[in-house]
Amino acid sequence: MKDGTEHPPGGAAWDDEDDTAAVVRTVGKLVKLCRERSGKTQAELGAAIGYSLEQVSSVERGRRVPKPEFLSKADEVLHADGLLAALQKDVAEARYPKKVRDLAKLEADAVELNLYGHLNMHGLLQTEEYARALYDMRWPAFSEEEVDRHVAARMARQEIIHQSRPPMLTFVLEEVTLRRPVGGRDCLRRQLDRLLDVGRLRHVTMQVMPTDLGDHAGLSGPIELIKLKDGGAVAHTEAQLTDRVISTSKELQILDMRYGIIRSQALAPRESLAFIEKVRGET
């Protein structure tokens, strides 16, 4: 039988500080309640929806996150009248790492996102293939379940680009990221095609920072500036083993200044798209 659920990352218990645990436990209790109300055993439910007794038991005990198909099939078999099926969105979000969910909430409340990445493509621009290649090379190595979880979270964040009223997005990409063959040459070509598609959207501005530029304001690391609907702003930065959300006015002012200089030093948007097309032809 196929595995319709997911283990906690690395097989460990869910972090007590992560509200994922509460969601998973609540869903498990509801599955158990609906199953018992229908008069079925765990084995009978598993056989009816195509999962093992162990998988059903793990879901009911809050030890596994059920995939959407598990809930939709269980809802139908247990005559739950949509109760379990309605939990699919909550469970899908609970699959993602908490820091990703928190960042996605900030991005969802944004009117403008200003993004600079210096080692690889920014997560909002990555193809699934490219993102998976990055997570596959992570050390210490992620388990397959962890890779799937992080890739799914990264892809879900990208919905903000194509929503009906998206924020304004500006990206500054390092030239080296356009040439580094993450996942192989074919993967890189498809990633460059993705950049060109997104870069041509009306609400997106994409710029390239040439590698041979000596004067560079972004060498301290990546920057994400998030300007919110209420007029406020926050920033997100990452480094080895750490990432943080910044909200103090002094630090925001510094990052805003740096990002402005970075944009002024990079190639102009039209020139940048032409540059990406050139690299795509050479790849």
Side-chain angles (χ1 to χ4, degrees):
M1 294 183 183
K2 61 185 176 180
D3 189 346
T5 56
E6 293 193 15
H7 291 285
W14 298 108
D15 186 340
D16 288 339
E17 296 179 359
D18 190 338
D19 57 1
T20 294
V23 173
V24 175
R25 285 195 299 267
T26 299
V27 170
K29 289 177 181 178
L30 287 173
V31 171
K32 181 178 181 181
L33 177 65
C34 292
R35 177 184 60 77
E36 291 178 341
R37 188 179 62 181
S38 73
K40 286 183 170 56
T41 65
Q42 290 179 340
E44 289 171 338
L45 173 59
I49 65 176
Y51 298 99
S52 69
L53 183 153
E54 187 276 332
Q55 290 166 358
V56 174
S57 176
S58 293
V59 168
E60 291 188 356
R61 288 184 290 118
R63 298 298 300 171
R64 291 193 178 198
V65 183
K67 289 185 177 178
E69 64 180 23
F70 181 102
L71 293 172
S72 61
K73 290 180 178 179
D75 190 279
E76 182 179 353
V77 169
L78 299 177
H79 305 291
D81 298 325
L83 176 63
L84 298 180
L87 297 172
Q88 292 179 79
K89 183 176 184 295
D90 298 286
V91 172
E93 291 177 352
R95 291 173 56 204
Y96 308 146
K98 186 176 186 297
K99 67 178 182 180
V100 175
R101 284 184 277 127
D102 290 344
L103 182 57
K105 289 177 182 177
L106 288 173
E107 291 172 345
D109 196 37
V111 294
E112 184 177 334
L113 292 174
N114 300 304
L115 311 146
Y116 164 67
H118 71 314
L119 293 178
N120 47 59
M121 306 291 178
H122 191 278
L124 290 178
L125 296 172
Q126 292 172 13
T127 64
E128 182 173 345
E129 180 184 20
Y130 185 99
R132 188 170 297 278
L134 284 176
Y135 284 119
D136 280 341
M137 68 177 71
R138 189 259 197 190
W139 293 100
F142 277 143
S143 68
E144 184 176 347
E145 290 84 0
E146 286 176 296
V147 171
D148 288 344
R149 190 173 184 231
H150 281 278
V151 171
R154 182 154 293 180
M155 295 301 102
R157 274 182 65 201
Q158 295 181 5
E159 293 175 4
I160 193 172
I161 296 176
H162 301 290
Q163 64 188 22
S164 58
R165 289 191 174 183
M168 178 181 294
L169 295 112
T170 69
F171 295 92
V172 180
L173 311 175
E174 287 290 337
E175 176 187 344
V176 66
T177 68
L178 307 179
R179 300 185 184 277
R180 181 174 289 122
V182 173
R185 294 290 174 185
D186 290 341
C187 175
L188 178 59
R189 278 191 286 269
R190 286 186 283 271
Q191 177 60 65
L192 293 173
D193 288 339
R194 161 77 172 166
L195 294 185
L196 291 170
D197 289 341
V198 175
R200 294 186 181 111
L201 296 174
R202 296 181 63 184
H203 61 285
V204 175
T205 299
M206 193 171 295
Q207 295 178 254
V208 174
M209 179 71 77
T211 300
D212 62 3
L213 184 71
D215 188 11
H216 195 325
L219 296 182
S220 296
I223 298 172
E224 177 167 357
L225 288 169
I226 306 172
K227 298 186 178 181
L228 305 171
K229 295 174 183 176
D230 64 3
V234 294
H236 176 249
T237 62
E238 294 185 57
Q240 289 282 342
L241 303 180
T242 61
D243 63 90
R244 58 188 288 248
V245 173
I246 295 167
S247 58
T248 63
S249 58
K250 182 177 181 180
E251 290 179 304
L252 286 171
Q253 186 178 39
I254 291 172
L255 292 176
D256 189 56
M257 175 189 66
R258 286 180 183 174
Y259 188 76
I261 296 173
I262 289 169
R263 288 197 67 186
S264 71
Q265 294 170 331
L267 299 178
R270 184 174 298 179
E271 189 179 0
S272 294
L273 289 179
F275 188 90
I276 295 171
E277 288 181 332
K278 176 177 178 291
V279 174
R280 171 64 175 82
E282 297 170 350
T283 302

